[in-house]
Amino acid sequence: MKKAIKLINCLIFFGLVSNFSFAESYKNFVNEEIVSELKEKGMKRIIHEDSSRDLVLLPNFEYSSKLLENRVEEKKKYTFISESLYLIDKSEILEKSNLSQDTVTIEDASRVVRSISKMEGMTYYSLHRKEESILYEKSYMIDSLETKKRIDDVNTGNADGQISYVLQNDHSFGECRYELRYFQNENSIYAVFKNVDSMGMGIFRVIDPEDMRINIIVTDCGDKFLLYFETETNCPKNKLIINKLEDSLIARVDAIYKWFVSSF
């Protein structure tokens, strides 16, 4: 009997340790100053000056080093970099979803970040035009970069190692193809978007192929998700282009965040 009780206690102990490691507190990933701001506002954002490429909000995630490998090449251009960190209560997600389950998991988040077709028709607030506009008139996965044939979202099972191709018709940048790479473990999902085509604003080509990255890391922190968005691109050193590009990309981050929360 005593041996059985000891065995049960050991199982309970290792179960608690396993649960803790599976869904750690967000306080384990960011410093106290950022924790305080996240608790108060739910988010923190930094827009970098051209001279600073150091990522100061990047939490101590398992995929942080991989993200650093997926940055744009430094060139003799203006480099726009933004970092956004969000703390989301899972209860908020459940309230806005049709899910009947008690909580949401990293598997649910993995499905959402791969549901590219759900971005079609999403809106954003244009700071330039001071109005709400459709962000993506088209948004879907394609079978290849060459044929561009629309396929269903590949969003089931574990995403680790998945490479997908996407076509989006963007309100500001026009039609563009992207390569998406996904990495997933038991408590995190990391996605990196890389543009395949050049991207324009009006008649001007302002972003070269493979010169833009959108990095997204979602980490399970128990009753919360910690989301990190990092966007960077090189563009001409033209003040008008820089200002318009900055407004456009920041609006997109906010729109993608809202899309993430609402897509469950």
Side-chain angles (χ1 to χ4, degrees):
M1 177 64 73
K2 290 182 179 179
K3 288 183 178 180
I5 292 174
K6 286 182 179 179
L7 177 60
I8 292 171
N9 287 336
C10 286
L11 290 173
I12 292 173
F13 172 77
F14 285 114
L16 290 172
V17 171
S18 175
N19 286 338
F20 178 77
S21 63
F22 177 78
E24 297 179 274
S25 168
Y26 66 96
K27 296 177 183 178
N28 295 332
F29 301 108
V30 293
N31 64 43
E32 291 185 9
E33 182 181 346
I34 296 175
V35 166
S36 178
E37 195 159 347
L38 288 174
K39 287 171 67 177
E40 179 184 354
K41 301 178 182 178
M43 71 91 67
K44 183 176 177 63
R45 171 173 294 150
I46 290 179
I47 309 297
H48 290 246
E49 298 296 331
D50 187 35
S51 59
S52 174
R53 288 179 54 88
D54 294 337
L55 302 181
V56 296
L57 290 185
L58 180 61
N60 187 27
F61 290 145
E62 183 172 345
Y63 287 128
S64 296
S65 59
K66 190 171 288 294
L67 183 151
L68 295 174
E69 297 171 2
N70 284 303
R71 304 191 64 189
V72 297
E73 180 183 349
E74 190 170 3
K75 298 179 179 179
K76 293 181 178 180
K77 290 186 174 184
Y78 180 87
T79 303
F80 169 85
I81 301 173
S82 75
E83 298 179 82
S84 301
L85 195 60
Y86 296 89
L87 186 65
I88 309 174
D89 278 311
K90 291 182 179 179
S91 58
E92 177 187 348
I93 292 174
L94 288 169
E95 286 174 9
K96 296 179 179 180
S97 73
N98 295 319
L99 297 174
S100 58
Q101 59 205 57
D102 296 329
T103 188
V104 285
T105 65
I106 205 65
E107 287 75 21
D108 297 316
S110 174
R111 173 181 51 80
V112 167
V113 297
R114 289 181 288 164
S115 297
I116 301 300
S117 64
K118 287 193 174 184
M119 300 177 84
E120 196 166 285
M122 67 187 283
T123 62
Y124 75 111
Y125 183 75
S126 171
L127 298 173
H128 179 69
R129 291 181 299 276
K130 307 297 183 185
E131 64 181 13
E132 196 81 11
S133 302
I134 292 178
L135 179 54
Y136 298 116
E137 294 180 1
K138 295 179 185 177
S139 180
Y140 49 81
M141 286 188 178
I142 54 178
D143 62 343
S144 72
L145 294 174
E146 292 73 27
T147 63
K148 298 189 288 186
K149 181 182 177 182
R150 181 170 185 159
I151 61 172
D152 292 336
D153 293 323
V154 182
N155 61 0
T156 58
N158 191 296
D160 194 44
Q162 179 176 325
I163 301 175
S164 295
Y165 302 104
V166 167
L167 186 143
Q168 291 182 326
N169 191 350
D170 186 291
H171 189 276
S172 295
F173 300 120
E175 190 170 287
C176 182
R177 295 168 298 166
Y178 293 88
E179 177 191 89
L180 275 65
R181 291 180 178 264
Y182 296 96
F183 306 89
Q184 182 179 342
N185 59 25
E186 64 180 5
N187 65 342
S188 295
I189 173 76
Y190 167 42
V192 53
F193 290 61
K194 177 175 70 176
N195 68 308
V196 175
D197 301 310
S198 63
M199 303 173 72
M201 303 185 82
I203 61 173
F204 302 102
R205 298 284 95 185
V206 297
I207 301 175
D208 292 334
E210 301 188 4
D211 226 8
M212 179 177 173
R213 298 289 188 281
I214 300 175
N215 288 292
I216 304 172
I217 300 179
V218 185
T219 292
D220 190 336
C221 297
D223 61 349
K224 296 175 175 60
F225 279 132
L226 189 61
L227 273 71
Y228 175 79
F229 291 85
E230 191 262 345
T231 302
E232 61 181 280
T233 185
N234 295 312
C235 71
K237 292 183 177 181
N238 177 292
K239 190 66 175 176
L240 181 62
I241 290 175
I242 291 170
N243 289 340
K244 192 173 180 181
L245 185 68
E246 180 175 312
D247 289 345
S248 182
L249 293 178
I250 289 300
R252 273 155 180 72
V253 171
D254 289 335
I256 292 172
Y257 163 73
K258 292 176 183 176
W259 161 77
F260 175 82
V261 174
S262 65
S263 290
F264 286 84

